[in-house]
Amino acid sequence: MAAPALADLRVGDIVAEESFPLTRDSLVRYAGASGDFNPIHYRDDVARAVGLPGVLAHGMLTMGFAVQPVVDWAGDPGRIADYQVRFTRPVVVDPELGAVVSVVAKVGQLDAEAGVARIDLTVKVGEETVLGKAQVRVSLD
Amino acid sequence: MPVNPELQGRTFPPTEPYLVGREKVREFARAVFATDPINLDPEAAKAAGYDDVVAPPTFAVVVQERTLAQLLAEPDAGIDFSRVVHGDQRFTFSRPIVAGDLLTATLTVPSVKTLGGHSIVTAETAVTDASGAHVVTTISALVVRGEED
C-alpha cells in the first residue's frame, strides 16, 4: 500500500475507523501471546474478589489493536515513530456478550518540517472513552 | 510497605538476550488483530524490505515484561504487585522489531512520585539489537495504590 502524503492531510481528517469485537477467547489468546497471565483477564471469581466489575481486557491488548488501523493506513510499520496511551477506563468483557471497542483515527497535528503527522485515536466502548491521550506519531514524506 | 523513593535514578543490569521467533510474531500479530501480510508472511515482509515478519508496534511489551519482573523482584523496591495499576504506556521507535532480532533490554527508573497516597513509578526500558543499535524505548507509568484505611 502506498504511503499517504503529508501534504494531502488536514488537521481533523479521519484517516481510519474500525470496530474490534472482543470475546473471552481474545483475552486468552492475548495472554498467551504476551505472557501476561494475570487472572483478572480470564477468571470472574478473581476479578470480583479484587473489586473489579468483571473480567477485563488487558490494557496492552486494547493499546495493541487500537493502533492497527493507523499502521495499515501508513502502509509500513516502519513509519510509526512513537505511540502512547493513557489507560483511562477498563474494558469489561462479558462472558457471553463480549465487548466492542471502536477506534477512530484523526489527524491531530501536522509538522511538515519534521515530516511527522500526529494521529489521535478515539477509543471507546459505547459512549465511554477507554484510552486517553492516545497518539501515534507517523513519519511521512 | 511504601514504594522506596531511592528507586529513582536506578539502572538495572541488561536482561538476557531475547531471540524474536517468527511464530511468536505471528502469534502476537493474531492476538492484536493485525492482518497485514507483512506481520505474517516472510515473503511479504521481504518484498517490503524487511528480513522477516515484522512485529506489531506493541510487541516490545514481551521484552519489557522481563525488565518489569526485575523491578518487582528488587528486594528493597517495596512494590506490591497486587496493588499495581498500569497508568500509561509509550513506545518510541528507531525501527520495528523483526523476527530474528536478538534483543537486550535495560531498565532505568527515571522517577518515583507520590500523589495522594499513591506512588507512580516510571519504568523506562531501552531495547537494543545484537549490534547494540537502539530499536525501541518503552515507558510505563505504574501506579501503586496506597493502603486503604
Side-chain angles (χ1 to χ4, degrees):
Chain A
M1 199 167 84
L6 197 61
D8 294 342
L9 300 176
R10 299 287 171 271
V11 170
D13 285 354
I14 292 179
V15 298
E17 234 173 321
E18 203 168 328
S19 279
F20 295 89
L22 296 182
T23 62
R24 291 289 173 85
D25 308 34
S26 321
L27 308 192
V28 173
R29 189 180 283 265
Y30 185 76
S34 68
D36 181 346
F37 295 102
N38 188 332
I40 63 164
H41 302 304
Y42 54 89
R43 277 184 55 177
D44 295 271
D45 58 334
V46 173
R48 269 197 303 271
V50 295
L52 297 171
V55 160
L56 309 179
H58 307 70
M60 286 307 307
L61 167 58
T62 306
M63 185 182 189
F65 64 70
V67 74
Q68 287 304 323
V70 179
V71 179
D72 291 342
W73 166 77
D76 181 345
R79 294 187 176 278
I80 307 298
D82 189 280
Y83 177 34
Q84 65 174 320
V85 308
R86 180 159 296 159
F87 300 104
T88 13
R89 195 175 272 117
V91 175
V92 179
V93 180
D94 183 88
E96 287 174 33
L97 304 171
V100 177
V101 184
S102 67
V103 178
V104 177
K106 207 183 263 194
V107 178
Q109 202 179 61
L110 293 167
D111 185 341
E113 220 162 283
V116 171
R118 194 190 79 207
I119 308 298
D120 297 346
L121 307 178
T122 305
V123 184
K124 289 184 170 186
V125 173
E127 290 306 306
E128 296 201 314
T129 300
V130 296
L131 295 181
K133 210 191 171 194
Q135 300 179 344
V136 196
R137 290 170 63 81
V138 185
S139 302
L140 295 175
D141 302 323
Chain B
M1 186 166 66
V3 174
N4 182 357
E6 286 173 15
L7 275 179
Q8 181 164 317
R10 197 172 295 185
T11 297
F12 289 71
T15 54
E16 286 291 306
Y18 177 94
L19 178 60
V20 179
R22 184 187 286 167
E23 298 306 337
K24 188 67 190 178
V25 169
R26 286 172 163 158
E27 181 191 10
F28 192 91
R30 290 188 189 103
V32 295
F33 305 93
T35 52
D36 193 320
I38 203 171
N39 301 123
L40 305 165
D41 174 9
E43 294 310 318
K46 277 178 194 134
Y50 295 97
D51 288 343
D52 206 319
V53 291
V54 178
T58 59
F59 182 85
V61 291
V62 175
V63 188
Q64 175 192 244
E65 197 274 332
R66 299 178 159 214
T67 62
L68 296 183
Q70 284 180 309
L71 179 63
L72 298 171
E74 190 78 340
D76 69 345
I79 299 176
D80 175 359
F81 187 54
S82 70
R83 310 192 76 85
V84 172
V85 177
H86 200 170
D88 54 61
Q89 178 74 32
R90 180 171 196 168
F91 299 91
T92 304
F93 302 94
S94 288
R95 66 163 176 88
I97 292 173
V98 173
D101 276 333
L102 192 62
L103 302 175
T104 303
T106 307
L107 171 69
T108 55
V109 180
S111 80
V112 177
K113 289 180 189 146
T114 309
L115 194 74
H118 303 315
S119 300
I120 301 168
V121 180
T122 307
E124 183 173 319
T125 302
V127 179
T128 54
D129 64 18
S131 74
H134 179 260
V135 178
V136 57
T137 293
T138 74
I139 302 178
S140 299
L142 305 175
V143 182
V144 187
R145 292 177 295 150
E147 303 281 341
E148 282 118 31
D149 296 321

